[in-house]
Amino acid sequence: MAPADQQRIVAAARELIAAGGVDALSMRKLAAEVGVAPTAIYWHIGSREDLLNAVLDAMIGDLPPIAARGSSPRARLVSVARSIRDQVRGTTDAQQLAAELGRTAELSFPGQVALTREMQAAGVTGSDAAQAVRAVLFLVGGFILLEDNFAHRQPGSRTTQELWDALDDDTIDPALRKAMAKPANTDTLFDYAVDRLLASVLGSM
Amino acid sequence: MAPADQQRIVAAARELIAAGGVDALSMRKLAAEVGVAPTAIYWHIGSREDLLNAVLDAMIGDLPPIAARGSSPRARLVSVARSIRDQVRGTTDAQQLAAELGRTAELSFPGQVALTREMQAAGVTGSDAAQAVRAVLFLVGGFILLEDNFAHRQPGSRTTQELWDALDDDTIDPALRKAMAKPANTDTLFDYAVDRLLASVLGSM
DNA sequence: ACCTGAACACCGTTCAAGT
DNA sequence: ACCTGAACACCGTTCAAGT
């Protein structure tokens, strides 16, 4: 049997996570996959938390850089916001790991830097730019949170749409209630929200 | 010993969660707390997931309604956004449970309705209002996500501030880098971001 | 240096059996 | 109707012992 070095162990752990999510990774299953006793993992990597940190390190190393596209500063800002959202949505395991390990700052940092660079190019400087960048980041984060929860929704639970349909409230216009009950196109909504926030932040409605 | 009915079991479960978080609640500890064999819990409530759902039901029942304050429509919208944020921050256990059980829609719905009502009062109608409400909700959600992660950050991990201090990037102005490296006042930032988004959405900069 | 086996202290859950 | 005890199939982790 090949030696159970760190690289092989981390690779096997990533396969287990890719197949069944972070919860599907146990020290015992991993050891079986590597072809070794569970206790050997502890010799090579350490505790479960050490293992997860090593896995996250490897995942971060594989991430492509965030690219800005477009010619106008405004378009480039929008493209970075979209890139961040796309990258987060395509790396849910890494996001979950980072959340569990308290390393989300690390994971979101490259996007933050890219956004800051483009905000500077748009002519916003100093603490104004810092505030603007953070506002955009929070908006992007909100999409991630709510889309993620939407994706993790259990079959038995009620959707926002169903809740609106069931709501009996005369103070809200029927047409508006109906609009809220319609499922949202989050792609369109994302572009709209980012556009509105940038318009106001850049002072160029 | 008093009968181990559902009410007593749920109350004991809430105490365990309040004391040590959702992870501190196990069927066996709960049974010990109630003074009964672990298997008795299954007779009264069912599985662990059934138990957590019953606990979340009780928590939702205890939530106070979201109130709008202020006289101008804009001020009332801002106050609802702040109320949502405050309520979420004060109910982290319920938020975690809702996320695990896929019931976040239910938990965020009252705030969504309150926001919709005030958006209508501000003169925005139909699908425009629906989009505007959702944009504000996503922004509020982003604060919750990033503040939450910030709070759950492990002592060993690096903060966004430390990452900025360590960044060596000549394309970003030193003053801006310094501004990003300063810890953000999320209260101020929240008011700023909500204000900017509302200004643009309501079309009254 | 690298790995195993036994052991400890936990989990959630089922099910037959008791009163 | 309500509860227990035994049992099953899992966990993470430690540590002495082997090569």
Side-chain angles (χ1 to χ4, degrees):
Chain A
M1 196 50 90
D5 58 6
Q6 293 205 26
Q7 283 191 32
R8 271 190 67 224
I9 292 173
V10 169
R14 290 186 68 173
E15 274 176 41
L16 282 175
I17 290 174
V22 177
D23 291 343
L25 173 68
S26 79
M27 304 302 270
R28 292 168 129 101
K29 278 186 205 154
L30 174 60
E33 205 71 24
V34 178
V36 94
T39 49
I41 305 293
Y42 288 82
W43 194 92
H44 283 287
I45 305 252
S47 69
R48 177 166 211 268
E49 194 176 345
D50 295 331
L51 169 68
L52 294 181
N53 274 295
V55 167
L56 182 56
D57 287 340
M59 286 177 171
I60 288 176
D62 286 351
L63 287 181
I66 302 266
R69 260 171 273 268
S71 46
S72 79
R74 175 91 167 257
R76 291 175 68 81
L77 276 166
V78 170
S79 82
V80 169
R82 271 213 212 94
S83 282
I84 295 174
R85 173 167 172 258
D86 290 344
Q87 180 166 100
V88 170
R89 296 212 293 177
T91 56
T92 50
D93 289 335
Q95 303 300 325
Q96 192 189 336
L97 274 180
E100 277 181 25
L101 299 169
R103 289 176 59 186
T104 52
E106 223 172 306
L107 209 56
S108 66
F109 188 65
Q112 193 169 340
V113 173
L115 212 50
T116 304
R117 202 192 322 273
E118 299 306 326
M119 193 63 79
Q120 176 179 266
V124 189
T125 57
S127 62
D128 285 355
Q131 218 166 10
V133 164
R134 286 170 177 145
V136 175
L137 270 177
F138 280 130
L139 183 60
V140 176
F143 271 87
I144 289 158
L145 176 73
L146 275 68
E147 286 184 331
D148 191 62
N149 287 340
F150 195 76
H152 283 68
R153 189 174 53 79
Q154 305 286 78
S157 71
R158 294 196 288 176
T159 64
T160 301
Q161 285 80 40
E162 289 164 348
L163 289 164
W164 273 106
D165 278 332
L167 182 71
D168 190 27
D169 188 328
D170 288 345
T171 67
I172 297 175
D173 183 55
L176 179 49
R177 284 214 304 273
K178 206 174 167 190
M180 292 302 298
K182 261 181 57 181
N185 180 333
T186 49
D187 289 332
T188 309
L189 185 53
F190 181 79
D191 287 346
Y192 164 78
V194 170
D195 179 72
R196 287 296 80 198
L197 184 59
L198 280 178
S200 189
V201 155
L202 299 178
S204 59
M205 285 191 59
Chain B
M1 195 52 89
D5 57 7
Q6 292 206 27
Q7 283 192 32
R8 273 190 65 224
I9 291 173
V10 169
R14 291 186 69 173
E15 274 177 40
L16 282 175
I17 291 174
V22 177
D23 292 343
L25 173 67
S26 79
M27 304 301 271
R28 292 168 129 101
K29 278 185 204 156
L30 174 60
E33 206 69 26
V34 178
V36 94
T39 49
I41 306 292
Y42 288 83
W43 194 91
H44 283 286
I45 306 251
S47 69
R48 178 167 211 269
E49 193 175 345
D50 295 331
L51 169 68
L52 295 181
N53 273 297
V55 167
L56 182 57
D57 286 341
M59 285 177 170
I60 288 176
D62 286 352
L63 287 181
I66 302 266
R69 260 172 274 268
S71 46
S72 79
R74 177 91 167 258
R76 291 174 69 81
L77 276 166
V78 171
S79 82
V80 169
R82 273 212 211 96
S83 282
I84 295 174
R85 174 168 171 257
D86 290 344
Q87 180 165 100
V88 170
R89 297 211 293 175
T91 56
T92 50
D93 289 334
Q95 303 298 326
Q96 191 188 336
L97 274 179
E100 277 181 25
L101 299 169
R103 290 177 58 186
T104 52
E106 222 173 306
L107 209 55
S108 66
F109 188 65
Q112 194 169 339
V113 173
L115 212 50
T116 304
R117 203 193 321 272
E118 299 306 325
M119 194 63 80
Q120 177 179 266
V124 190
T125 58
S127 61
D128 285 354
Q131 219 167 7
V133 165
R134 285 168 177 145
V136 175
L137 270 177
F138 279 131
L139 184 61
V140 176
F143 271 87
I144 289 159
L145 175 74
L146 275 69
E147 285 183 332
D148 192 62
N149 286 340
F150 195 76
H152 283 68
R153 188 174 53 80
Q154 305 288 78
S157 71
R158 292 196 291 174
T159 64
T160 301
Q161 284 80 39
E162 289 164 349
L163 290 164
W164 273 106
D165 277 332
L167 182 72
D168 190 27
D169 187 329
D170 287 344
T171 67
I172 298 176
D173 182 55
L176 178 49
R177 284 215 303 275
K178 207 174 166 190
M180 292 301 298
K182 262 180 55 180
N185 180 333
T186 48
D187 289 331
T188 309
L189 186 52
F190 180 80
D191 287 346
Y192 164 78
V194 170
D195 179 72
R196 287 297 82 198
L197 185 59
L198 280 178
S200 189
V201 155
L202 298 177
S204 58
M205 285 190 62

